[in-house]
Amino acid sequence: MDEQIFLDWQVHFNLRKPNSRRATLIYAVATLWGQQIKVSTGVKVYASHWDKNRQIARMGGGLSGLDSRNNAIVNTKIMEVTVQIERLKQYLCEHVELLTDEAKVKSLFIEFVKPTFKRKTMKSQKKAEALKALKVFNEVISNHWSY
């Protein structure tokens, strides 16, 4: 007889340092096969701005414009991570054979949740700097040189 498998993971978002006065990282935390997995979301929030029950950063109500902006970024990231976890569940439902490999599922969880950063390559960064220098040079020539 085949074994039943359910993907009823509960994912929570926890602060790395919940008592910190500084902005602290937010982790996506899930329990898979009795083992807790923590993955950094890559965003930070002030502990005083974190709503533990709703699992989001507080918005409005006496926050500065900068804090509201930062918290909006946090909440967007939390939504993105939640969507990624649902995508992982869908992927695993379509590839049921993977569910027998705990290590593979855990690595997929980390892969799906882990933040992806858009990094400039050295080549593109040098090209951008060269274009900025060329623009400044052209402005100097046009403002101070008559030809």
Side-chain angles (χ1 to χ4, degrees), residues 9 11 15 21 32 34 37 43 65 69 81 83 97 109 136 138 146:
W9 305 332
V11 177
L15 300 183
R21 289 186 177 190
L32 309 175
I37 298 177
V43 291
R69 179 181 175 276
V81 169
V83 168
E97 69 280 359
F109 179 85
V136 169
N138 283 336
S146 48

Side-chain angles (χ1 to χ4, degrees), residues 44-97:
K44 293 181 177 184
V45 68
Y46 287 110
S48 61
H49 296 178
W50 183 247
D51 187 328
K52 186 177 180 179
N53 295 328
R54 293 176 54 208
Q55 299 279 286
I56 59 172
R58 292 187 177 102
M59 298 293 295
L63 295 178
S64 71
L66 181 61
D67 287 339
S68 292
R69 179 181 175 276
N70 288 336
N71 291 356
I73 292 168
V74 166
N75 291 339
T76 300
K77 184 62 180 180
I78 288 171
M79 285 187 279
E80 288 173 3
V81 169
T82 303
V83 168
Q84 284 298 95
I85 291 167
E86 290 304 315
R87 285 185 180 154
L88 172 60
K89 287 180 181 179
Q90 184 64 39
Y91 177 80
L92 291 172
C93 287
E94 294 168 2
H95 299 89
V96 179
E97 69 280 359

Side-chain angles (χ1 to χ4, degrees), residues 12-28:
H12 300 280
F13 296 93
N14 295 341
L15 300 183
R16 180 168 183 245
K17 296 180 181 177
N19 298 321
S20 178
R21 289 186 177 190
R22 294 179 149 196
T24 186
L25 280 170
I26 301 171
Y27 282 88

Side-chain angles (χ1 to χ4, degrees), residues 90-138:
Q90 184 64 39
Y91 177 80
L92 291 172
C93 287
E94 294 168 2
H95 299 89
V96 179
E97 69 280 359
L98 293 174
L99 291 171
T100 58
D101 186 353
E102 291 180 24
K104 179 65 175 172
V105 173
K106 289 175 186 174
S107 71
L108 283 171
F109 179 85
I110 293 168
E111 184 180 317
F112 270 72
V113 173
K114 201 172 205 174
T116 53
F117 299 102
K118 293 179 182 174
R119 294 188 177 121
K120 290 183 179 179
T121 62
M122 278 298 238
K123 189 174 182 180
S124 67
Q125 192 172 4
K126 285 181 181 178
K127 185 176 179 180
E129 289 172 5
L131 289 174
K132 285 180 189 175
L134 184 60
K135 183 179 177 183
V136 169
F137 178 75
N138 283 336

